[in-house]
Amino acid sequence: MPEQDVTVGQLLLAEYESVKGEQRARIGFRDNLLYVTLAVGAAVIAAAAQAKQPSMLLALPPVCVVLGWTYLVNDEKISAIGLYVRDDLGPRLAELAPHRGWFATFGWEAYHRTDARRRSRKVIQTVIDLTAFCAVPLAALVVFWSNGDAGELLLGLSVLEALAVVSLASLVVWYTKDA
């Protein structure tokens, strides 16, 4: 088999395909985390109601925090890949093109961010994320606290869980500002 030279352009295109593949996989995984959170939340609430044990609701905050953090990290990596393609990979590939400057490489990466309704969609998505990952577990804690017959250990645990959920909520809002 004869030796073939690999060009820089081919390597950059291969890298593009690789990072876009990772981005697609992360998008699918991230989006499924929201559905998993809803299913777990419904299951925990139903089990606690059926058993008439409000203390079972204490399972919801840690699950929501772990799933919410995983969602947030994947969302950040999805955005980071888009930024890398727009600001690094695309310009390096454009420099190799014979007619530099008259077209934008991977134009969609920047174009879709200019939509006039993008900001409102980001706000709505943030509200959905805060509801699924933070408001539902906080509501579960309120129900637990309103029951009134929790021991000191469970009460202490619930306060720590509330702090974790509030911390996640602040991170959701903070990461949204960077997107």
Side-chain angles (χ1 to χ4, degrees), residues 26-37 63-78 122 124-126 128-130 132-133 168 172 175-176:
R26 285 184 177 276
I27 288 169
F29 182 71
R30 177 204 60 195
D31 292 351
N32 283 329
L33 284 171
L34 195 53
Y35 302 126
V36 168
T37 302
V63 169
C64 288
V65 167
V66 168
L67 292 172
W69 175 249
T70 305
Y71 178 94
L72 197 59
V73 167
N74 271 280
D75 191 60
E76 189 279 327
K77 293 299 178 212
I78 291 163
K122 294 295 278 179
I124 292 167
Q125 186 62 52
T126 301
I128 290 169
D129 296 346
L130 287 170
F133 299 116
L168 177 63
V172 167
Y175 275 71
T176 299

Side-chain angles (χ1 to χ4, degrees), residues 44-161:
V44 168
I45 291 168
Q50 186 175 13
K52 294 181 175 46
Q53 290 293 323
S55 62
M56 291 175 70
L57 293 172
L58 293 179
L60 198 52
V63 169
C64 288
V65 167
V66 168
L67 292 172
W69 175 249
T70 305
Y71 178 94
L72 197 59
V73 167
N74 271 280
D75 191 60
E76 189 279 327
K77 293 299 178 212
I78 291 163
S79 295
I81 289 169
L83 181 66
Y84 174 71
V85 169
R86 275 191 316 278
D87 293 354
D88 189 294
L89 192 56
R92 285 192 290 152
L93 194 56
E95 282 296 312
L96 298 174
H99 304 288
R100 292 186 276 248
W102 68 273
F103 76 98
T105 30
F106 312 127
W108 174 251
E109 297 291 338
Y111 178 78
H112 77 92
R113 298 174 63 83
T114 62
D115 178 17
R117 291 186 224 121
R118 182 175 187 274
R119 181 130 176 91
S120 64
R121 279 194 310 274
K122 294 295 278 179
V123 168
I124 292 167
Q125 186 62 52
T126 301
V127 169
I128 290 169
D129 296 346
L130 287 170
T131 301
F133 299 116
C134 303
V136 170
L138 286 175
L141 288 170
V142 168
V143 169
F144 171 74
W145 291 327
S146 67
N147 187 43
D149 63 352
E152 283 184 30
L153 184 61
L154 289 181
L155 191 57
L157 176 64
S158 69
V159 169
L160 290 176
E161 289 179 348

